Amino acid sequence: MSLAVPAAQAVELPPPLQRRWSRGRLLGHALLGIWGLLGLALVVYLVGAWKAELFARYAPAYLSGLVVTLELVGISVALGALLSLPVAFARMSPRRLLSWPAYGYVYFFRGTPLLAQAFLVYYGLGQFRPQLEAVGLWGFFREAWWCAILAFTLNTAAYQAEIVRGAVESVPRGQWEGAASLGLRRWLTFRKIIAPQALIVALRPYGNEIILMIKGSAIVAIITVYDLMGETRRAFSRTFDFQTYIWAAIIYLVLVEVLRIATDRIERSITRHLRR
Amino acid sequence: MLELLSFGPAGWGDEIARGTLVTVALALATLPLGLVAGFAVALGKQSEEASLRAAANVYTTIFRGLPELLTLFLVYFGAQIAVQRVAALVGIESGVEINSFAAGMVALGAVFSSYASEVFLSAFRAIPHGQYEGGHALGLSRWQTMRLVVLPQLVRIALPGLSNLWLILLKDTALVSVIGLSDIIRQTGIAARVTRQAFLFFGVACLVYLALAILSSFAFAAIERWAGRREGAR
């Protein structure tokens, strides 16, 4: 008697896929292991270096620094958004008298370091103290805080103007022409037809710009504004404890990641109608 | 005023020129480091191996999320403390100072490479799969396919993004003045303090950066023409 299974039933399964330890897989796991070890070392270091009095002394300072950073970025991004609109429209204008100065403005602020701009405003304008006092503006330019706001606003306005321009120009001409043939005015066309479509394109760059501003804002610590970075520097210079910088790094990373995830979420929800 | 900017003992022209050289040298020294690291990270990100992708993503998340200034401080002070610890272990009392140029190179290189990896990654995605298959069909090894088929196209696609990153790098070098490197900002800062002409000197600093940006855009236009030369011949 034969135990052989009829040939038709003998289904030949493909051999189970062997997950071989290829070189890439080895390398990937090794690198992940290194990251894991580094993370573990960081936790061990922070636990070992934990000092209750240090925390009690500097946690409020860090918190106030974080608030200063957020205020600085919030105010200058909002003011910059207002300022960027006329700049962007001037830049798109066919009239050279408008477009060239706008181009120069954008080129200057995008082509020079934010640090140099902050110095130019804070130290540079301080040189004109008698003149500023005569105009009554010295109270403004004396404060590093307001100088930082001014420099950051001018800087982000230049970047945002380019975002606006790119977004508006990404909307096809036919949209303008269609609206014109329906008898809509230009401003109404912009507000109701162009802007909603441009905003979808602009959202991600805007999110990136806010992240860049948060990171860039760390330089105000150099012109004596006590933002998160400033408080960190102060804490380090008093304690010479390296964990002060580690904590700042963690706070900045969390802040930036939260913003990035928020941008992703918003983008997903406003492009719902484009997904199939 | 022109006297202040003149070369020689009376003016600050030579100091500023030296600062400019330091800035350019730092940016040029960081560039190859950042490009190579960025390419390696991009290779990891487009790998089929999930663990490699994850490892590469951790790298970019960290260095794109930290402020450049903080990265610089972490590298500078971190290395200093590490060296002191090691020296103490060996038993040497050392007041070793970390070279600020090297610290700047490492910190800016890390930032540059994490952004560059994104540029390379999107360039990789723009190259059709058929290019790899074509290389394979011709009997080229994987390395040869990468070097002879993919890389020349990749460079062409990635160039605009990389030129952007170069301009950002050039501006980020200004931060290294904070840890004591005598770059443009530091030199003009000294001049500003000594002469009390802050507006003039920081204005000059801005103009020097602008000039460097304009020069680089000429250079990039030339490189793009060179990289696209075979494109036009078709």
Side-chain angles (χ1 to χ4, degrees):
Chain A
M1 135 186 162
S2 163
L3 279 174
V5 192
Q9 279 180 25
V11 182
E12 253 187 56
L13 288 170
L17 210 62
Q18 276 186 345
R19 294 265 289 146
R20 286 194 311 118
W21 282 93
S22 64
R23 248 186 297 170
R25 193 156 171 238
L26 269 176
L27 183 65
H29 280 73
L31 288 175
L32 266 190
I34 291 175
W35 278 129
L37 279 181
L38 281 178
L40 200 66
L42 188 69
V43 172
V44 168
Y45 167 71
L46 285 179
V47 169
W50 176 263
K51 288 189 203 108
E53 32 125 15
L54 199 75
F55 181 79
R57 181 127 146 250
Y58 289 110
Y62 272 52
L63 195 64
S64 90
L66 180 63
V67 171
V68 169
T69 292
L70 291 178
E71 273 176 1
L72 186 65
V73 172
I75 294 174
S76 37
V77 166
L79 290 179
L82 286 180
L83 182 60
S84 73
L85 288 179
V87 175
F89 285 119
R91 177 110 161 69
M92 287 186 281
S93 158
R95 263 173 250 153
R96 282 182 186 174
L97 206 62
L98 283 176
S99 72
W100 283 18
Y103 181 71
Y105 171 84
V106 169
Y107 201 94
F108 179 83
F109 280 98
R110 293 189 356 142
T112 55
L114 185 54
L115 185 64
Q117 293 160 19
F119 280 2
L120 193 63
V121 171
Y122 183 56
Y123 297 118
L125 293 181
Q127 181 191 329
F128 302 111
R129 180 171 176 181
Q131 291 90 325
L132 287 171
E133 270 173 343
V135 199
L137 282 175
W138 176 241
F140 181 87
F141 287 105
R142 192 181 49 196
E143 297 287 336
W145 164 255
W146 292 115
C147 288
I149 295 260
L150 178 64
F152 280 30
T153 301
L154 292 175
N155 180 276
T156 186
Y159 282 93
Q160 289 187 36
E162 285 300 277
I163 295 174
V164 170
R165 188 177 68 96
V168 168
E169 285 180 352
S170 78
V171 179
R173 270 174 64 89
Q175 300 283 330
W176 286 101
E177 289 161 359
S181 69
L182 288 173
L184 299 184
R185 285 170 204 282
R186 275 183 73 82
W187 174 239
L188 190 66
T189 309
F190 178 77
R191 216 157 41 93
K192 293 282 185 189
I193 293 163
I194 306 299
Q197 301 180 66
L199 271 180
I200 293 177
V201 179
L203 179 76
R204 187 159 282 275
Y206 265 127
N208 282 340
E209 173 60 15
I210 295 176
I211 289 176
L212 285 181
M213 282 304 284
I214 286 182
K215 291 172 25 172
S217 73
I219 63 133
V220 289
I222 301 168
I223 59 167
T224 69
V225 173
Y226 285 99
D227 71 327
L228 182 53
M229 191 73 199
E231 293 290 357
T232 308
R233 263 162 60 104
R234 181 148 68 180
F236 181 73
S237 67
R238 282 184 187 163
T239 59
F240 287 105
D241 195 338
F242 193 61
Q243 64 170 313
T244 49
Y245 278 119
I246 303 281
W247 284 113
I250 292 171
I251 298 174
Y252 272 113
L253 269 186
V254 169
L255 198 60
V256 167
E257 273 308 288
V258 165
L259 258 169
R260 207 173 55 80
I261 293 168
T263 318
D264 277 353
R265 288 265 168 85
I266 297 173
E267 187 177 43
R268 227 177 304 153
S269 83
I270 63 171
T271 53
R272 257 174 315 183
H273 62 290
L274 296 175
R275 230 175 310 141
R276 302 180 187 207
Chain B
M1 205 166 89
L2 277 179
E3 199 183 319
L4 282 176
L5 293 176
S6 68
F7 287 71
W12 292 88
D14 42 346
E15 278 84 356
I16 296 174
R18 230 174 298 142
T20 310
L21 279 185
V22 171
T23 292
V24 173
L26 178 59
L28 282 179
T30 309
L31 185 67
L33 188 75
L35 282 178
V36 170
F39 189 76
V41 175
L43 280 181
K45 277 185 178 176
Q46 59 121 39
S47 157
E48 285 165 17
E49 177 56 46
S51 58
L52 257 182
R53 283 201 306 270
N57 282 331
V58 171
Y59 180 84
T60 44
T61 306
I62 291 177
F63 288 108
R64 293 200 314 167
L66 288 179
E68 289 79 3
L69 187 61
L70 186 56
T71 310
L72 192 62
F73 283 164
L74 285 175
V75 170
Y76 186 61
F77 292 121
Q80 204 145 312
I81 289 171
V83 167
Q84 278 168 8
R85 286 272 167 83
V86 171
L89 273 185
V90 186
I92 316 165
E93 195 63 32
S94 84
V96 184
E97 288 266 320
I98 294 297
N99 184 318
S100 52
F101 191 92
M105 248 176 85
V106 171
L108 295 179
V111 175
F112 184 93
S113 62
S114 58
Y115 281 98
S117 74
E118 289 292 314
V119 172
F120 281 128
L121 184 65
S122 60
F124 267 123
R125 287 187 179 148
I127 293 172
H129 210 75
Q131 298 286 333
Y132 296 91
E133 288 160 3
H136 190 66
L138 287 173
L140 299 180
S141 71
R142 272 176 64 171
W143 167 241
Q144 282 174 320
T145 310
M146 178 61 77
R147 195 165 56 90
L148 299 172
V149 181
V150 177
L151 212 55
Q153 306 181 57
L154 193 79
V155 169
R156 198 155 53 222
I157 301 170
L159 253 181
L162 292 179
S163 70
N164 237 347
L165 291 182
W166 163 256
L167 293 177
I168 293 174
L169 173 65
L170 211 50
K171 290 187 285 173
D172 279 348
T173 56
L175 299 175
V176 184
S177 64
V178 181
I179 55 169
L181 192 70
S182 308
D183 74 329
I184 300 174
I185 294 281
R186 193 169 172 83
Q187 297 287 34
T188 50
I190 294 170
R193 232 171 306 138
V194 172
T195 60
R196 303 190 157 276
Q197 296 281 332
F199 193 79
L200 170 71
F201 280 108
F202 287 126
V204 166
C206 286
L207 291 183
V208 173
Y209 279 108
L210 275 186
L212 290 178
I214 293 170
L215 275 181
S216 333
S217 65
F218 282 135
F220 271 107
I223 296 174
E224 247 164 80
R225 263 200 309 281
W226 172 81
R229 68 200 186 283
R230 267 164 279 177
E231 193 89 323
R234 245 185 284 178

